[in-house]
Each structure stands twice: as C-alpha cells, then as structure tokens.
C-alpha cells in the first residue's frame, strides 16, 4: 500500500506536485474507508517565499534536494512508573533512571515528561502586521478540543466466541463517557469488517459496537474432520514432531475412518498427518489474516498527529512455530511508530474449559478424550501468550484474569498521569537486524513497577541520507512533539472567501542567528526544508506542502537578517472549520530541526 503520509522530497514551487500528493493521500485513505476532502477544497496554493529585502539571488527555492547529514540514530523508550497500589509516580528525574541495551549500560541523552496536558494546542501567534482583511482569532473552545491522543480499539472478532462478543460489547459501551475531549477513538476488527475511523462522536462509536460478532475465517460450526485435530495439536504434530500427539490423532482416525481395525493403523497415521497439515495451514492462514489487519491499523495509527495507543481486545490465539516472527515484526513496527499496545483478554476471569466451545462440542473417542482435554487446556493457556507479548514488547499493559473488563478498557484507553520519555543513541550499532533487549530500572531501591518496552530491532542497512532525512521530517510532521533545535515561530492568518471557502496562510519566521551556516565563496550558505501539514478536528490529514529554501547570504545581508530574521509564507485553500497546524523546519548544514504546533478555528 502506498504511504499517504510521505511527502516527495524534490519539490516544484507550484501546485501540480501537491495535487499529486493529495491524490495519493486520498487514494490510500479510501482503503481505510476515510472520507477525503474534495480537491477543490484542500488543494494548496503555490507557497510563496518572501525574500528578505531585494536579495532574490541570495534566498531562493530550488527543485533538486541537497545532501543531508543524517542525525544520530535515537532509540526512544516511553516509561510509566507506578507504586505498589498502581498509582503513577510523577516526581522522577533523569538521574533516577538506568537503561541498558543488551546488558550494556547506556547514556540517556534525552529526557522529557508527558502528561495529558503536554500536547495541548494553543492558537497560533498573530503575525506582526496582518493584512487588513486577515483574521487570526477563532473559537477557543473548538481549539481546546483539538485531538491529542488517538486510541484504536481493535476487537478480535476472528477468534472470539459468541459469549466473548456479548461480554465485551456490553463493557465497551461504558468506555466512551470517560474519554477526554482531546481523545479520538477508532473502532476496528481483526476481520476487517468493522472500520470506524477516529472520531469524538459517541453515537457513531456506539453504533459500530453492534457489528462486533464472531467472524471466524476458517472452519464452520458443526463441521468436524476425521480425525478431529485442533490447531494446537496440529502444531505439535507437524512443527514440533510430537509423537504422542500423532499417536492420539492416529487412534482417532482408526476409530472414525476404519472401524478400529488394527490392520489399518498405517493408513490411519497417513490420514492423521495429512489432516494435521491441512488444519495447520488453515489455522496459520487465519492467524496471518489477523496479523495483516493489525499491521494495517498500526499504519493508520502511525499517521495520526499525537499520542498513539492500540487497545486489542481478544481471547488470544495460539502462536505456532512458523508465525513467531510475525508477532516480533508487529511489535517492532509499533515501536518504530511510538505506538503502545494495551491488551485485554476477552475471556475475563476464567478457568480452562475441558469441553471447548459448548455451542459446538468436540467428538472425542473414549480412548483419547482425556489426552485431548489436556491439549485443549494447554491451548487455552497458550492463547494468552500473544496478548502478553504485544503489551510487554511495546510498553503496554496486559489486562487478564479479571471480570471488570469495562474498567480494564478505561484504564487501557486512558492517558497515564505522567510518562517519561528516555532517548539514547546505541554505540557501535551493528546493521544486522538483530534484536536488542532493553531494560529500564531505577537507581534507587524503591519497590516500584517500571513499565517500558523490552527491545528493538537494529536496522539492516544504512539508509540513503536523502531518504533518511525525508523519513525524519515525516516522522516529526506527524507527531505533536515540539522540537527547539532552531529558533522558529509559527503564525497563521485566514481570509474568508465566502461561506464555504477560506484561505489559510501559514507564516514561518526564522531567526537567522540560531542557524548554522557554511562559509563558501564569500557567502553564508545553508538550505532549509520547510514542511507544513494541516489536520482536521479528528486528526485526519487535510493538506500540506514542503519546499526547500536555498540561502547564499552576503555578509551584509547576513548581518541585517541576524537582527530581523525573515518570514516564509505558504497558503492553502480550506473549508471553514477547526484545524491543527503542524510545521517542521530542518536545516542541511547542522541537521537540526524545529517543530511547532498551532491551531486555528475558521468560523462558518
């Protein structure tokens, strides 16, 4: 699938390339059933660069990209610390944490804290000399409710039983009343049949819950193979070469297909092997189906501008030997997108069921009933392994063996009162794709619970510098974290054309004193990439643009601009509404970045 969130790096300062960007975005978003704005309503105008003074030969835009120096590879680890009663500990400092990578102590190079108020977006600063017809004010209440957190609630309807779906549907109806105004919730299913995009409309969310019903991909109720072999037992026979599991299956085959004739034992074993391979292939196909939909939801979450949480509600499923890698790759993908996965066992507080699904009981023979019951118990216990792995691997929480699923959903969807973001740069990192174990501990001996992800995968190759810089800008653009490497200010104006159209102007003011220039041929040189993205009130990408500004400043111009700075302006056609404005600036020489958030409410 084409990524709708990637901006082309080579830019023409015209609207043609941005039209292509919007077309690609709309096409990709339609896959997720997202309603894209019409081109005429979101097509940005060609961005205008205001050259300082008349030195147009000193500040200009160009089409070919510069060669960027890639910033140091940074691994981020989000940490939540709780005391013995489950209360979040909020007074810790950088020196209170210790972090190791493959048991080697690491230097924590970046440290920050986050609360539910951390990403609160304020209206952007008015420009110093707005045009007479420009407006810079809006609805403060609408701006205050702009999204900060995105929660994807995923129901595993592929593996749920009827009693599971009734249980979790009733619990989920009580979730929405506890959400903050800045939370946006999307509801999805592992079968792909439910896709309610992120919204704050509680009625739409409640309606989507009615579609949560069992939708198994493989098999049908009431159909039983001869011999009857479970997915778990098939994995034992085919992948683990378990002779006892094969013997049990052979005995079942001898009874159901050959009337317990001992002369047909060899044929019964062949039949058992063939049935095991077919059962395993069918089960693997269903598990792969679930993984692919989870990956799609992770991609969708990765494109939302704010904190990202997935809540996976599932009875779990058996991870066979051949599919272990898929779960690791899913965890790695979530970690790269800073997505925390909280999991909830849809079975609640339960004891193993010796009979399996009461709506479709197994057909066991007298000789094998006991051992096959033990297989069912082992399978039910193994089902929760994947839920524990997803939560543990991403720094999330696994809610299980509890009947208050409604409370579990609230806790899983809510933002912690305080979280800590630790960053470090791995030393002598080998590009071999190997898994690195992470461990976060506290310097003190206090008995506190530290919740953080437990590893990451090293890259396999060195990325092309240009490609790496593009990814860096994109990642910053679709976040809400502010970066202050460069002195940059964000301002907005809007002009109402009529009742249905407005022109939104985004002004980027740069302080030249804080930019690192290179002296060459008597000029001060540097190239800036300025990227802008506009998101609607539900966090959906509306429009955006990117341009490269090439600076070749004479000393006299540099001295003057060091006092005044200069401003770049980009204009976009949008409908009236409330918008989050995200602006990212990156310079070529110092490989430094700035990222700013803004908000504007254009009245109807």
């Amino acid at each position: 699938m084409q990524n709708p969130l990637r901006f082309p790096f080579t830019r023409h300062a015209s609207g043609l390339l941005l039209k292509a960007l919007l077309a690609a975005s709309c096409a990709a978003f339609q896959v997720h059933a997202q309603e894209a704005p019409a081109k005429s309503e979101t097509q940005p105008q060609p961005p205008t660069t205001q050259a300082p003074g008349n030195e147009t030969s000193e500040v200009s835009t160009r089409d070919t990209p510069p060669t960027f120096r890639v910033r140091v590879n940074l691994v981020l680890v989000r940490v939540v610390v709780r005391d013995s009663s489950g209360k979040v500990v909020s007074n810790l400092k950088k020196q209170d944490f210790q972090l190791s990578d493959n048991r080697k102590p690491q230097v924590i190079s970046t440290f920050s804290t986050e609360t539910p108020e951390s990403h609160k977006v304020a209206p952007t600063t008015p420009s110093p000399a707005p045009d007479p017809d420009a407006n810079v004010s809006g609805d403060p209440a609408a701006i205050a409710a702009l999204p900060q957190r995105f929660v994807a609630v995923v129901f595993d309807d592929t593996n749920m039983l009827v009693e599971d779906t009734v249980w979790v549907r009733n619990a989920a109806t009580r979730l929405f009343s506890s959400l903050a105004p800045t939370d946006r919730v999307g509801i999805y299913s592992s079968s792909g049949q439910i896709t309610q995009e992120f919204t704050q409309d509680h009625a739409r969310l409640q309606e989507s819950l009615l579609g949560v019903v069992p939708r198994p991909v493989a098999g049908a109720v009431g159909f039983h193979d001869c011999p009857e072999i479970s997915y778990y037992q098939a994995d034992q026979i085919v992948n683990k070469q378990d002779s006892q599991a094969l013997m049990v299956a052979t005995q079942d085959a001898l009874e159901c297909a050959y009337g317990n004739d001992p002369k047909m034992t060899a044929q019964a074993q062949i039949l058992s092997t063939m049935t095991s391979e077919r059962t395993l292939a069918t089960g693997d196909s269903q598990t792969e189906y679930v993984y692919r939909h989870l990956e799609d939801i992770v991609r969708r979450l990765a494109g939302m501008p704010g904190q990202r949480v997935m809540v996976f509600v599932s009875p779990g499923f058996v991870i066979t030997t051949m599919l272990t890698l898929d779960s690791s790759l899913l965890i790695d993908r979530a970690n790269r997108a800073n997505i925390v996965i909280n999991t909830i066992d849809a079975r609640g507080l339960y004891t193993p069921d010796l009979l399996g699904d009461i709506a479709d009981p197994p057909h066991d023979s007298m000789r094998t009933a006991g051992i096959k019951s033990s297989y069912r118990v082992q399978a039910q216990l193994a089902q929760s392994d994947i839920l524990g792995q997803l939560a543990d691997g991403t720094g999330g929480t696994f809610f299980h063996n509890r009947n208050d699923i409604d409370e579990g959903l609230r806790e899983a969807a809510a933002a912690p009162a305080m979280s800590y973001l630790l960053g470090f740069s791995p030393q002598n990192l080998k590009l071999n794709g190997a898994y690195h174990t992470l461990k976060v501990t506290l310097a003190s001996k206090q008995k506190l619970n530290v919740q953080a992800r437990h590893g990451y995968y090293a890259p396999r190759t060195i990325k092309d510098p240009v490609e790496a810089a593009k990814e860096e800008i994109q990642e910053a653009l679709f976040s809400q974290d502010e970066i202050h490497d460069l002195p940059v200010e964000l301002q907005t104006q809007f002009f109402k054309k009529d009742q249905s159209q407005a022109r939104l102007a985004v002004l980027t003011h740069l302080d030249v004193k804080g930019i690192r220039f290179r002296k060459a041929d008597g000029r001060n040189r540097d190239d800036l990439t300025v990227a802008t993205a506009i998101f609607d009130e539900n966090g959906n990408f509306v429009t955006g643009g990117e341009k490269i500004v090439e600076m070749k400043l004479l000393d006299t111009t540099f001295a003057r601009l060091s006092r005044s700075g200069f401003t770049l302006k980009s204009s976009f056609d949008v409908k009236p509404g409330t918008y989050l404005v995200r602006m990212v600036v990156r310079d070529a020489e110092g490989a430094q970045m700035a990222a700013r958030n803004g908000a504007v409410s254009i009245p109807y």
Side-chain angles (χ1 to χ4, degrees):
M1 179 186 299
Q2 185 179 357
N3 190 341
L5 312 178
R6 183 179 297 280
F7 284 78
F9 198 63
T10 302
R11 291 291 184 271
H12 297 284
S14 68
L16 295 177
L17 198 53
L18 292 174
K19 285 182 183 178
L21 165 66
L22 290 170
S25 298
C26 293
F29 282 0
Q30 285 171 357
V31 176
H32 299 284
Q34 177 176 341
E35 186 176 329
K39 283 186 180 180
S40 60
E41 297 168 346
T42 61
Q43 178 184 337
Q45 297 298 310
T48 302
T49 302
Q50 295 182 344
N54 295 319
E55 302 87 353
T56 55
S57 63
E58 299 180 51
V59 179
S60 61
T61 60
R62 63 191 178 97
D63 295 334
T64 55
T67 300
F68 284 111
R69 299 174 186 171
V70 183
R71 302 175 85 191
V72 176
N73 185 27
L74 191 69
V75 178
L76 296 176
V77 184
R78 190 177 300 275
V79 183
V80 178
V81 181
R82 292 184 171 88
D83 60 20
S84 57
S85 63
K87 184 179 179 181
V88 173
V89 178
S90 59
N91 59 350
L92 300 177
K93 309 297 181 185
K94 177 180 176 180
Q95 57 268 24
D96 294 321
F97 292 92
Q98 296 175 336
L99 192 152
S100 64
D101 180 346
N102 281 347
R103 299 185 179 181
K104 296 179 181 178
Q106 300 293 318
V107 175
I108 299 174
S109 56
T110 64
F111 177 83
S112 61
T113 59
E114 288 191 353
T115 69
E117 299 295 317
S118 294
H119 298 285
K120 196 168 185 179
V121 181
T124 47
T125 307
S127 60
D131 295 335
D133 297 327
N135 297 281
V136 293
S137 62
D139 181 359
I143 290 174
L146 279 170
Q148 299 174 23
R149 295 180 70 253
F150 296 86
V151 182
V153 183
V154 185
F155 294 96
D156 187 10
D157 55 353
T158 303
N159 291 293
M160 282 183 182
L161 302 178
V162 173
E163 53 267 33
D164 296 332
T165 57
V166 174
W167 175 257
V168 300
R169 264 204 317 260
N170 292 336
T173 57
R174 297 185 285 274
L175 165 67
F176 309 123
S177 60
S178 63
L179 296 173
T182 54
D183 289 342
R184 297 294 184 271
V185 176
I187 295 183
Y188 307 89
S189 69
S190 61
S191 69
Q193 298 299 308
I194 302 175
T195 304
Q196 170 56 62
E197 295 292 358
F198 295 101
T199 182
Q200 58 180 337
D201 188 334
H202 292 184
R204 290 172 63 186
L205 294 171
Q206 295 279 11
E207 183 180 354
S208 66
L209 287 177
L210 300 177
V212 180
V213 295
R215 292 186 175 91
V217 175
V221 174
F223 175 79
H224 295 267
D225 275 327
C226 172
E228 188 175 57
I229 299 175
S230 68
Y231 183 39
Y232 177 85
Q233 186 181 356
D235 180 48
Q236 298 295 312
I237 293 172
V238 178
N239 292 327
K240 298 187 170 76
Q241 302 295 309
D242 188 326
S243 58
Q244 183 187 53
L246 178 59
M247 180 185 68
V248 170
T250 301
Q251 179 59 48
D252 277 348
L254 197 63
E255 180 172 326
C256 69
Y258 300 105
N260 276 326
D261 184 353
K263 296 178 181 178
M264 304 300 293
T265 300
Q267 288 85 342
Q269 183 170 327
I270 294 172
L271 177 60
S272 299
T273 302
M274 293 173 60
T275 305
S276 298
E277 291 173 348
R278 184 174 65 251
T279 300
L280 184 67
T282 302
D284 282 351
S285 176
Q286 174 161 310
T287 304
E288 284 273 9
Y289 188 82
V290 172
Y291 277 142
R292 298 296 80 81
H293 280 94
L294 290 178
E295 285 179 350
D296 286 343
I297 297 166
V298 166
R299 291 190 191 97
R300 182 72 181 102
L301 259 177
M304 306 314 293
Q307 292 188 12
R308 304 148 187 166
V309 178
M310 178 190 289
V311 180
F312 185 43
V313 186
S314 170
F317 48 87
V318 174
I319 309 174
T320 63
T321 305
M322 302 301 293
L323 295 179
T324 301
L325 180 61
D326 279 13
S327 60
S328 299
L329 294 176
L330 181 64
I331 290 169
D332 185 51
R333 187 185 295 272
N335 283 327
R336 291 179 188 277
N338 292 319
I339 295 172
V340 173
I341 302 178
N342 295 320
T343 56
I344 297 178
D345 193 330
R347 298 172 295 181
L349 181 64
Y350 74 100
T351 55
D353 185 0
L354 298 180
L355 296 178
D357 187 356
I358 58 175
D360 185 29
H363 296 172
D364 296 337
S365 69
M366 294 295 293
R367 295 185 180 183
T368 63
I371 188 66
K372 292 186 72 174
S373 293
S374 73
Y375 286 152
R376 278 190 286 275
V377 171
Q378 293 173 42
Q380 291 170 46
L381 295 175
Q383 282 180 217
S384 61
D385 290 348
I386 181 62
L387 303 180
Q389 288 179 20
L390 292 175
D392 196 53
T394 60
T397 302
F398 175 28
F399 298 86
H400 58 291
N401 284 337
R402 48 189 291 178
N403 280 335
D404 56 341
I405 289 187
D406 54 344
E407 181 61 29
L409 277 167
R410 280 196 292 268
E411 291 180 32
M418 173 75 77
S419 60
Y420 304 90
L421 196 61
L422 315 181
F424 74 98
S425 300
Q427 301 299 314
N428 302 318
L429 184 65
K430 295 182 179 179
L431 304 177
N432 55 7
Y435 182 77
H436 286 236
T437 57
L438 293 174
K439 186 175 182 180
V440 179
T441 57
L442 298 174
S444 67
K445 301 301 181 182
Q446 292 177 277
K447 293 185 178 179
L448 300 175
N449 177 37
V450 177
Q451 177 185 335
R453 63 175 170 133
H454 293 289
Y456 70 97
Y457 285 90
R460 292 189 177 276
T461 58
I462 298 177
K463 293 180 180 178
D464 174 75
V466 173
E467 184 68 20
K470 288 162 57 179
E471 291 186 7
E472 188 176 75
I473 292 171
Q474 177 184 309
E475 181 180 346
L477 201 62
F478 286 84
S479 168
Q480 278 190 11
D481 295 329
E482 295 217 338
I483 305 173
H484 299 275
D485 295 352
L486 298 172
V488 174
E489 293 181 6
L490 170 65
Q491 302 165 351
T492 61
Q493 298 175 357
F494 67 85
F495 307 82
K496 287 290 294 292
K497 294 181 176 182
D498 51 43
Q499 294 301 312
S500 61
Q501 290 289 320
R503 174 71 60 82
L504 173 62
V506 179
L507 297 92
T508 305
H509 184 77
L510 298 104
D511 185 348
V512 174
K513 294 192 300 293
I515 300 175
R516 186 180 303 173
F517 285 82
R518 170 175 55 89
K519 196 78 171 188
D521 300 327
R523 299 201 178 216
N524 301 278
R525 296 176 176 268
D526 196 4
D527 298 329
L528 297 176
T529 301
V530 181
T532 306
I534 313 296
F535 302 91
D536 69 13
E537 60 185 3
N538 283 323
N540 298 313
F541 172 76
V542 175
T543 185
E546 183 182 280
K547 59 178 172 279
I548 298 172
V549 181
E550 185 180 82
M551 295 184 291
K552 299 175 287 187
L553 306 179
L554 296 170
D555 288 344
T556 53
T557 307
F558 178 76
R560 180 169 59 80
L561 292 182
S562 294
R563 296 188 297 270
S564 63
F566 66 94
T567 299
L568 306 172
K569 179 180 177 181
S570 299
S571 296
F572 308 93
D573 284 342
V574 297
K575 295 188 297 185
T578 302
Y579 297 98
L580 169 68
V581 181
R582 179 75 174 166
M583 181 268 295
V584 174
V585 179
R586 189 186 194 279
D587 87 307
E589 292 302 319
Q592 294 180 300
M593 293 180 66
R596 298 289 186 273
N597 296 317
V600 62
S601 182
I602 304 174
Y604 287 90

